[in-house]
Amino acid sequence: MSILLIIHVFLVLCFTTRILLRDGLMPPARLAWFVVLILLPYAGMVAYYLFGESDPGKAADRRHTEVFREINEKARRFMGDPAGAARMIDVIYRPAFRYAASINGFYPVGGNAAELMAGADATRARMIADIDAASDHVHVLYYIWLDDNTGRALADALIRAVGRGVTCRAMADGLGSRSLIHSDLWRRMKEAGVHLAIALPFRDVLRTVLTSRLDLRNHRKITVIDAAITYCGSRNSADPEFLPKKKYAPWVDIMLRVRGPVVAQNQLLFASDWMQATGEKLDNFVLAAEPVEGGFPAQVMGVGPTERRGATPQLFLALLGCARSEMTISTPYFVPDASLLDALCAAAYRGVTVTLIFPAVNDSWIVAAASRSYYFRLLDAGCIIHEFNEGLLHAKTLTIDGRISLIGSSNLDLRSFDLNYENNLLLQDAATTRSILDRQTEYISRSSAVVLSDIMAWPWYRRIWNNIIATIGPVL
């Protein structure tokens, strides 16, 4: 036996053993890695080494534990409590809210109000007006922050606020906002006195490769103003024309402007990221819990590689289990795990009207192929699928029974499940849910229905391609 063959066998056995030793890895993902190692052994080994595991590293895990220990010690009263949650939430939906609380300790708090923004221009104008009215602090965190009209308007508003004596903290992801971080606009903010931080920076690429993985990202979109107002939704700090991928434009997003005690929870989530990146203490953050009269209960949910694995799909499973009559979901990226796919089908089988809205043209050909591989099962179970035709539908929304809404940054794909830091708002309120449901209905009016006969008419090679991509989807 040649030395090269011995080395080959040794390496394959090492990677195979490593994959088999990972207790938390689901069988479909394990099988996908085996397929890649068999078909492309050396490329597969490199890919697994770089991207096969979602561990952010021991230092990040340790710091995350320290940060949330400090938050629990100093800000427990802003995180809600189980007894209060039980009183506020309808009994049939309590399991889902209870599950959300188990992720990082945020329970429903009452007295909140929300306003659904009309569109990109309205969101930008309202947010800038709120920042211009700020008297104490402004905190912003975005995965993608571009040097375009929206990005410059936000930066200029922060600079004006600092000039009035307002404390401004701005954070951007090291990959999603890489062009901004190296721009004159970022430098201008720094020189003006805006406190800046980079989430998951590319400072030591070799060390990151050796101890973690490069594609762990902070995908959150958070704005908090004077501990009184927060914005939550899918919109990055970027124009809908989205110049880096303008051929898919416009990017259609959704955003809620929220007031009430849940603002403190979003503040704490922002603070956890800021403390992780800078070492700053929670004592430097202002927290408040001013209820709005007649307001509704809501809670923040933050997930990421330093939280419990599988938290996002398990939350969706809990929500699906609570649905009684109808459920509508919009998401740009749909690559569910087996349990979530089964739950969607099961909800349809038991009589829930399950409506799914996806973009007709996706900026990721991998996601597009993988998503469509699931269409047959979903349609055969009775789910309703619409494909949005007027741009890239980027809004991540879920409404249930006209009562419950989930809105935020999480997609229904494996990146959001395992690799990204995400933020979402879960609420119970008929009026707010109705406004989001009306927006979902608007998306449907600009979409084409997908029916089972369409799928059956696809050529054989397209169906094979979609299924191949879905098979190796867990490694992509």
Side-chain angles (χ1 to χ4, degrees):
M1 186 180 291
S2 69
I3 186 67
L4 291 178
L5 181 57
I6 292 173
I7 293 173
H8 173 84
V9 172
F10 175 76
L11 289 173
V12 170
L13 286 175
C14 284
F15 278 90
T16 300
T17 302
R18 176 62 186 171
I19 293 169
L20 289 171
L21 283 172
R22 288 184 59 195
D23 295 328
L25 193 64
M26 297 301 293
R30 203 186 312 276
L31 180 60
W33 278 113
F34 287 153
V35 169
V36 171
L37 286 175
I38 291 169
L39 296 178
L40 301 167
Y42 300 114
M45 291 175 199
V46 173
Y48 186 83
Y49 183 76
L50 293 174
F51 306 114
E53 302 183 17
S54 57
D55 184 359
K58 293 181 179 178
D61 281 332
R62 184 169 56 250
R63 179 58 182 153
H64 174 80
T65 300
E66 294 170 353
V67 164
F68 268 87
R69 183 184 299 120
E70 184 175 351
I71 287 173
N72 275 282
E73 289 174 354
K74 297 180 178 179
R76 180 68 257 174
R77 70 186 183 91
F78 296 101
M79 299 176 75
D81 67 272
R87 291 192 299 270
M88 287 183 284
I89 305 300
D90 292 349
V91 64
I92 60 174
Y93 306 116
R94 285 177 195 168
F97 281 79
R98 195 178 304 125
Y99 179 84
S102 75
I103 298 170
N104 37 35
F106 294 123
Y107 286 87
V109 288
N112 302 286
E115 178 185 355
L116 181 62
M117 296 290 96
D121 291 342
T123 302
R124 180 173 64 194
R126 191 64 175 277
M127 187 180 293
I128 298 307
D130 284 337
I131 294 173
D132 283 339
S135 60
D136 186 81
H137 66 267
V138 180
H139 297 150
V140 296
L141 163 60
Y142 286 98
Y143 169 60
I144 295 177
W145 187 343
L146 298 182
D147 187 357
D148 60 8
N149 293 326
T150 299
R152 286 191 294 273
L154 176 59
D156 289 342
L158 294 174
I159 290 170
R160 291 194 298 272
V162 168
R164 302 193 305 273
V166 174
T167 299
C168 293
R169 295 179 176 92
M171 194 171 191
D173 181 78
L175 176 65
S177 301
R178 59 193 180 279
S179 60
L180 174 78
I181 291 166
H182 298 99
S183 72
D184 288 340
L185 188 60
W186 190 259
R187 178 185 52 77
R188 278 181 50 217
M189 285 193 288
K190 183 176 182 179
E191 291 175 350
V194 178
H195 301 285
L196 302 176
I198 302 172
L200 302 170
F202 287 108
R203 275 197 288 260
D204 192 341
V205 174
L206 180 60
R207 181 179 179 184
T208 301
V209 168
L210 292 175
T211 61
S212 180
R213 55 187 286 178
L214 289 170
D215 61 340
L216 299 182
R217 304 293 4 130
N218 193 316
H219 193 243
R220 291 170 178 163
K221 304 100 168 59
I222 299 176
T223 299
V224 180
I225 301 164
D226 285 349
I229 299 167
T230 192
Y231 286 80
C232 185
S234 65
R235 186 172 300 285
N236 288 293
S237 184
D239 294 342
E241 291 78 12
F242 201 68
L243 296 180
K245 295 184 177 181
K246 60 183 179 181
K247 72 177 183 178
Y248 303 101
W251 290 53
V252 178
D253 282 290
I254 192 166
M255 210 70 154
L256 282 180
R257 179 183 185 268
V258 184
R259 297 176 294 122
V262 80
V263 176
Q265 295 188 356
N266 234 17
Q267 179 88 298
L268 288 170
L269 193 61
F270 173 88
S272 72
D273 286 341
W274 187 269
M275 293 161 69
Q276 182 106 7
T278 67
E280 194 170 340
K281 294 294 186 181
L282 185 63
D283 297 335
N284 297 330
F285 288 83
V286 175
L287 297 168
E290 295 298 325
V292 177
E293 186 176 353
F296 57 78
Q299 71 191 101
V300 162
M301 185 198 72
V303 294
T306 45
E307 298 293 349
R308 182 173 67 244
R309 186 177 178 87
T312 301
Q314 289 169 13
L315 173 64
F316 276 91
L317 291 176
L319 288 165
L320 284 163
C322 293
R324 291 297 180 267
S325 60
E326 62 178 12
M327 182 198 64
T328 303
I329 294 174
S330 69
T331 181
Y333 309 118
F334 180 74
V335 187
D337 61 12
S339 62
L340 182 54
L341 182 64
D342 285 342
L344 288 165
C345 293
Y349 280 128
R350 63 183 173 85
V352 176
T353 302
V354 178
T355 303
L356 304 166
I357 318 167
F358 309 131
V361 179
N362 204 297
D363 66 311
S364 170
W365 59 268
I366 293 174
V367 169
S371 295
R372 291 183 174 124
S373 74
Y374 304 113
Y375 279 15
F376 177 85
R377 274 199 65 189
L378 292 165
L379 291 169
D380 190 53
C383 297
I384 301 167
I385 299 177
H386 296 274
E387 288 190 337
F388 185 82
N389 294 315
E390 300 180 17
L392 198 147
L393 182 62
H394 192 245
K396 306 97 166 47
T397 64
L398 179 148
T399 57
I400 295 176
D401 299 344
R403 293 282 293 156
I404 305 298
S405 294
L406 179 72
I407 187 170
S409 68
S410 288
N411 298 301
L412 290 184
D413 70 344
L414 302 178
R415 288 204 59 83
S416 279
F417 294 170
D418 296 330
L419 304 178
N420 291 342
Y421 288 91
E422 308 281 7
N423 71 292
N424 300 281
L425 184 69
L426 179 62
L427 62 91
Q428 177 183 285
D429 181 56
T432 304
T433 299
R434 170 47 57 187
S435 65
I436 296 173
L437 186 55
D438 287 345
R439 186 66 55 84
Q440 291 173 326
T441 302
E442 179 196 332
Y443 298 154
I444 291 171
S445 73
R446 300 160 66 187
S447 303
S448 299
V450 181
V451 296
L452 203 54
S453 58
D454 295 335
I455 308 305
M456 300 310 296
W458 287 349
W460 62 269
Y461 53 84
R462 180 180 180 185
R463 291 160 66 182
I464 289 175
W465 173 250
N466 290 346
N467 290 334
I468 287 173
I469 296 301
T471 300
I472 61 173
V475 312
L476 297 174

